[in-house]
Amino acid sequence: MAVHQIGEGGLVMYWVTFGLMAFSALAFAVMTFTRPLNKRSHGYITLAIVTIAAIAYYAMAASGGKALVSNPDGNLRDIYYARYIDWFFTTPLLLLDIILLTGIPIGVTLWIVLADVAMIMLGLFGALSTNSYRWGYYGVSCAFFFVVLWGLFFPGAKGARARGGQVPGLYFGLAGYLALLWFGYPIVWGLAEGSDYISVTAEAASYAGLDIAAKVVFGWAVMLSHPLIARNQTDGSLLINSTNDPFVASTTHIPERQGGIFGGLMGKKRGAGTPLATNEGVPRKAAPTAATTTAGNPATAAEV
Amino acid sequence: MAVHQIGEGGLVMYWVTFGLMAFSALAFAVMTFTRPLNKRSHGYITLAIVTIAAIAYYAMAASGGKALVSNPDGNLRDIYYARYIDWFFTTPLLLLDIILLTGIPIGVTLWIVLADVAMIMLGLFGALSTNSYRWGYYGVSCAFFFVVLWGLFFPGAKGARARGGQVPGLYFGLAGYLALLWFGYPIVWGLAEGSDYISVTAEAASYAGLDIAAKVVFGWAVMLSHPLIARNQTDGSLLINSTNDPFVASTTHIPERQGGIFGGLMGKKRGAGTPLATNEGVPRKAAPTAATTTAGNPATAAEV
Amino acid sequence: MAVHQIGEGGLVMYWVTFGLMAFSALAFAVMTFTRPLNKRSHGYITLAIVTIAAIAYYAMAASGGKALVSNPDGNLRDIYYARYIDWFFTTPLLLLDIILLTGIPIGVTLWIVLADVAMIMLGLFGALSTNSYRWGYYGVSCAFFFVVLWGLFFPGAKGARARGGQVPGLYFGLAGYLALLWFGYPIVWGLAEGSDYISVTAEAASYAGLDIAAKVVFGWAVMLSHPLIARNQTDGSLLINSTNDPFVASTTHIPERQGGIFGGLMGKKRGAGTPLATNEGVPRKAAPTAATTTAGNPATAAEV
């Protein structure tokens, strides 16, 4: 019975990846907190992604976040469950980073994110499974991956096109890059946690490479294309400007907007809306509802 | 010292239950995704319930999701913690399936769900406890069960009656069935995890039977009485139609509605409201607020 | 190799703390549920805090919720992970209890709470770490503590001052007390889980003392200053009065209000707003948006 554990090279990869994630976290924090309050939503999301990944990589580099699991072949292999905890939180955030550009119905955003969470959890269960049933988890996890892809490229793409302007280009660029990268994970899983075919060091290096591309590179792309995203984002202003108190809220001078996943989660200000203020350059596909409600009431619109 | 583990019969029960849950999940998915966007909320909830249960039963059937825990009597017994993780997510969803019919204040919905979660967690802690203090967890867990029942049959019932129409019949039918079934769980717990009196196989069969009745049978009842539920649900349209972006939102042509747990979680569209559109057949108990806000402003109402 | 475990005195402290938490939970439940529906938010939060802590202390007193972890010095020490699960839920609630008084933007409330959660999780990872990398977790955890303090005393303080009236006094009293106490935790951690310098019994007594001051004493302070808090809270009415159904909602006769973390989470009623009704004594810093939207429409305002 062999015991497969990580080698020096794998730990080096963990430290390098930790360094990149931590550096990006510090940089993204500075970039985000120096932005106007109503232009931070994508910064917050991207900052959370690299921060969580930095902690996970520190844990793995510090020889934590793993457990010896026996394989059907009778060998013991170190399974790094820490990366699944990382992915549980970061993959939904990565999806939000792009889905929030589409303005698709929240019900759809919800099932895409839940399919993603199921995909990750099944990958973890399969990795911790000591028998061949692990492949059952794997198969269903892959099925959920296709549900996520379907959500990104059918309803998601439809929403992006509906918003028009610079959104489709931005959305397809980010979503396509992410989707392509994500195909790498199930391949590594099959060779590493799944079949115990490649070494734990090779596994560590492969996942690290994928995470750097999917979080650091993707993160910098999102942060650097910030002006473009901020101009086209659907929720940024809501996330930041809605407050616990109308008195304070009304002093921030941000035009009211409609809900959205953040709007809903965060509460938002009511009344007359001039969404153009937070959507410059986005061609109106229809009159915003909020505006409609006050259209018959010039006095109100005038006051805001 | 005896080691109590599951027998062949128990694993068969797990596989059978997995099959029923998985089949229901596929069926519910088809039923839900072929429904109009504003009639899916109960479908999503019920689909999530059987999907989570299917995964948990697969895990237990695959000899996972369990741990050997020593009993005060000195024996070791396999404790299936996987079922508690299942229940942690599915019992609140089961409650939501019925509570969303009542329109009770969200604060009340919240404490009912939190009491339910406490009930499940205390059951898990008790099951993992190696000494007689397990009965302390058990007692408080039962106390929280009565808090849940109180919530369902006092504020919940009051809300259902207040909505009138077909809601009370629907609510009392589903809530009564669920409440009755739920009495079975603490009984099995006391005989199985609690006192180590019945075998792990008998425990598996008992819980499986209860889960089939509370999730598969209940789920089909909810899915098949869909037209009735959809017509009376308070949040379905909000869950689906609210979007991340007013421009897209305003193209879905769904009349604005008020909040609600989904409305709040998901964000919703603003302005004039004609709730009747999503509440046909529900006698108005009072003029909907949204309508009130525009009543003094015919121009607005006219425009929507 | 020494094995450091808890002594009789430590267990006694756990039982005493459990008793105080449980008694407070029962008292707070009575106090909260006998209050009007629109004055319960702080009661719910504070009740949840002591209830969760009571369960955690019961678990530790019942010799559960712990694991033997090896130290760099080669000794084994019992690590009570149960207290971190407690803190994971209770520290964000403690922060909400005070932040909800400030009406600061939700985006800010969000990053304060996330920094707090990161602080707790890193403390747990450090406590479970078997090597000296634990001090890395500790250092970053302390860094997140300062992020929390920054949030409380810069944006938080700004928001409290902006609301004026009795809010600043209330906020600085509670926030100052909490912040001062929280400095005690990293000190104990460094001596106990960190360096294995003080005994597990001394650790238990120290944390118990801090928890009693930060949850029982703080909780009673919040519950007894209820009239003051209820009059100044920003979300209480929303939490309770928003419903799943406009028909029921409109029968509760609570003036509409703007969002907020609870408003957003819970959904809320629309339209004309007279926030003064839930903010007596709070000088208006600006015209509330909701009111603004109807100001031009006396007919509407009149109807509500």
Side-chain angles (χ1 to χ4, degrees), chain B residues 103-107 109 111 131 133 136-137 163 234-235 257-261 264 268 270 286-287 289 292-293 295-297, chain C residues 15 33 44 55 58-59 62 239-240 242-251 256 264 266-268 270-272 297 299-300 303:
Chain B
I104 55 175
I106 302 302
T109 304
W111 65 249
N131 52 42
Y133 287 115
Y137 293 108
R163 295 197 72 225
T234 54
D235 295 287
R257 283 278 320 267
Q258 316 232 111
I261 192 160
K268 61 218 71 93
R270 300 277 153 280
T289 310
T292 315
T293 60
N297 186 352
Chain C
W15 281 119
F33 284 90
Y44 280 142
I55 295 172
Y58 179 85
L239 172 61
I240 308 306
S242 56
T243 78
N244 300 321
D245 175 20
F247 299 103
V248 177
S250 52
T251 64
E256 282 68 43
M266 304 307 153
K268 60 218 70 94
R270 299 278 154 282
N297 185 352
T300 309
E303 280 183 42

Side-chain angles (χ1 to χ4, degrees), chain B residues 228-251:
Chain B
L228 185 62
I229 292 180
R231 194 161 57 247
N232 291 288
Q233 69 194 1
T234 54
D235 295 287
S237 58
L238 287 167
L239 172 61
I240 308 306
N241 299 298
S242 55
T243 79
N244 301 321
D245 175 18
F247 299 104
V248 177
S250 52
T251 64

Side-chain angles (χ1 to χ4, degrees), chain C:
Chain C
M1 183 198 78
V3 177
H4 298 152
Q5 295 187 284
I6 199 162
E8 201 45 59
L11 290 176
V12 170
M13 275 306 295
Y14 282 153
W15 281 119
V16 169
T17 314
F18 161 71
L20 290 169
M21 295 290 179
F23 168 75
S24 303
L26 293 174
F28 295 173
V30 173
M31 294 163 82
T32 300
F33 284 90
T34 53
R35 283 172 185 168
L37 278 173
N38 63 337
K39 297 264 182 282
R40 287 186 181 179
S41 65
H42 283 70
Y44 280 142
I45 295 173
T46 316
L47 170 57
I49 291 168
V50 289
T51 304
I52 293 168
I55 295 172
Y57 271 95
Y58 179 85
M60 296 190 288
S63 348
K66 61 178 178 169
L68 268 179
V69 175
S70 68
N71 279 306
D73 58 23
N75 297 330
L76 287 176
R77 182 187 180 93
D78 254 334
I79 297 299
Y80 284 88
Y81 56 79
R83 62 173 94 256
Y84 293 91
I85 301 174
D86 165 347
W87 296 337
F88 178 85
F89 294 104
T90 54
T91 55
L93 290 170
L94 286 163
L95 290 173
L96 277 185
D97 244 347
I98 53 180
I99 290 177
L100 290 182
L101 286 165
T102 65
I104 55 175
I106 303 300
V108 178
T109 303
L110 189 69
W111 65 248
I112 295 175
V113 165
L114 291 181
D116 169 82
V117 166
M119 170 183 80
I120 300 297
M121 286 295 93
L122 287 165
L124 172 61
F125 298 161
L128 295 175
S129 164
T130 59
N131 52 42
S132 298
Y133 287 115
R134 62 178 55 184
W135 296 107
Y137 293 109
Y138 179 72
V140 181
S141 179
C142 290
F144 276 111
F145 177 38
F146 286 105
V147 173
V148 171
L149 291 176
W150 186 69
L152 285 179
F153 295 105
F154 288 87
K158 184 155 165 286
R161 283 199 215 84
R163 295 197 71 226
Q166 304 153 305
V167 173
L170 196 57
Y171 178 78
F172 287 108
L174 293 171
Y177 175 74
L178 211 58
L180 207 63
L181 275 173
W182 282 16
F183 272 97
Y185 292 89
I187 294 170
V188 175
W189 195 99
L191 298 169
E193 289 102 325
S195 61
D196 195 28
Y197 181 76
I198 63 174
S199 74
V200 176
T201 298
E203 168 199 334
S206 313
Y207 279 134
L210 288 167
D211 282 343
I212 290 169
K215 294 188 175 71
V216 177
V217 177
F218 179 88
W220 279 97
V222 168
M223 295 305 282
L224 295 177
S225 56
H226 164 64
L228 185 61
I229 292 180
R231 192 160 60 246
N232 291 288
Q233 70 194 0
T234 53
D235 295 288
S237 57
L238 288 167
L239 172 61
I240 308 306
N241 298 298
S242 56
T243 78
N244 300 321
D245 175 20
F247 299 103
V248 177
S250 52
T251 64
T252 57
H253 302 310
I254 303 292
E256 282 68 43
R257 284 275 321 265
Q258 317 233 111
I261 193 159
F262 282 137
L265 276 167
M266 304 307 153
K268 60 218 70 94
K269 300 199 269 83
R270 299 278 154 282
T274 58
L276 282 185
T278 47
N279 287 275
E280 311 95 33
V282 180
R284 292 177 161 237
K285 291 287 167 189
T289 310
T292 313
T293 60
T294 51
N297 185 352
T300 309
E303 280 183 42
V304 177

Side-chain angles (χ1 to χ4, degrees), chain A residues 280-300:
Chain A
E280 311 94 35
V282 180
R284 288 175 162 244
K285 291 284 167 194
T289 311
T292 314
T293 60
T294 50
N297 185 353
T300 308

Side-chain angles (χ1 to χ4, degrees), chain A residues 5-11 13 77 198-206:
Chain A
Q5 294 189 286
I6 199 162
E8 201 45 58
L11 290 176
M13 275 305 296
R77 182 187 180 94
I198 63 174
S199 73
V200 177
T201 298
E203 169 198 334
S206 314

Side-chain angles (χ1 to χ4, degrees), chain B residues 9-278:
Chain B
L11 290 176
V12 170
M13 274 306 295
Y14 281 153
W15 281 119
V16 170
T17 314
F18 161 71
L20 291 169
M21 296 289 179
F23 168 76
S24 304
L26 293 174
F28 295 173
V30 174
M31 293 162 81
T32 300
F33 283 90
T34 53
R35 284 173 185 167
L37 278 172
N38 62 337
K39 296 262 182 281
R40 289 185 181 178
S41 65
H42 284 69
Y44 279 143
I45 295 173
T46 316
L47 170 57
I49 291 168
V50 289
T51 304
I52 293 168
I55 294 172
Y57 271 95
Y58 179 85
M60 296 189 289
S63 350
K66 62 179 178 171
L68 268 180
V69 176
S70 68
N71 279 306
D73 58 24
N75 297 331
L76 287 175
R77 182 188 180 94
D78 253 333
I79 298 299
Y80 284 88
Y81 56 80
R83 61 174 95 256
Y84 294 91
I85 300 173
D86 165 348
W87 296 338
F88 178 85
F89 294 105
T90 55
T91 55
L93 289 170
L94 286 163
L95 290 173
L96 277 185
D97 244 348
I98 53 179
I99 290 177
L100 289 183
L101 287 164
T102 66
I104 55 175
I106 302 302
V108 178
T109 304
L110 190 69
W111 65 249
I112 295 176
V113 165
L114 290 181
D116 169 81
V117 166
M119 170 183 81
I120 299 298
M121 286 295 93
L122 287 165
L124 172 61
F125 298 160
L128 295 176
S129 164
T130 59
N131 52 42
S132 298
Y133 287 115
R134 62 178 57 184
W135 296 107
Y137 293 108
Y138 180 72
V140 181
S141 179
C142 291
F144 276 110
F145 177 38
F146 286 106
V147 173
V148 172
L149 291 176
W150 187 68
L152 285 179
F153 294 105
F154 287 87
K158 183 154 166 290
R161 285 199 215 83
R163 295 197 72 225
Q166 305 152 305
V167 173
L170 196 56
Y171 178 79
F172 286 109
L174 294 172
Y177 175 73
L178 211 59
L180 207 64
L181 275 173
W182 282 17
F183 272 98
Y185 291 90
I187 293 170
V188 175
W189 195 99
L191 298 169
E193 288 102 326
S195 62
D196 194 28
Y197 181 76
I198 62 174
S199 73
V200 176
T201 299
E203 167 198 335
S206 314
Y207 280 134
L210 287 167
D211 282 342
I212 290 169
K215 295 189 174 71
V216 178
V217 177
F218 179 88
W220 278 97
V222 168
M223 295 305 282
L224 294 177
S225 55
H226 164 65
L228 185 62
I229 292 180
R231 194 161 57 247
N232 291 288
Q233 69 194 1
T234 54
D235 295 287
S237 58
L238 287 167
L239 172 61
I240 308 306
N241 299 298
S242 55
T243 79
N244 301 321
D245 175 18
F247 299 104
V248 177
S250 52
T251 64
T252 59
H253 303 310
I254 302 291
E256 283 66 43
R257 283 278 320 267
Q258 316 232 111
I261 192 160
F262 282 136
L265 276 167
M266 304 307 152
K268 61 218 71 93
K269 299 201 270 83
R270 300 277 153 280
T274 58
L276 282 185
T278 48

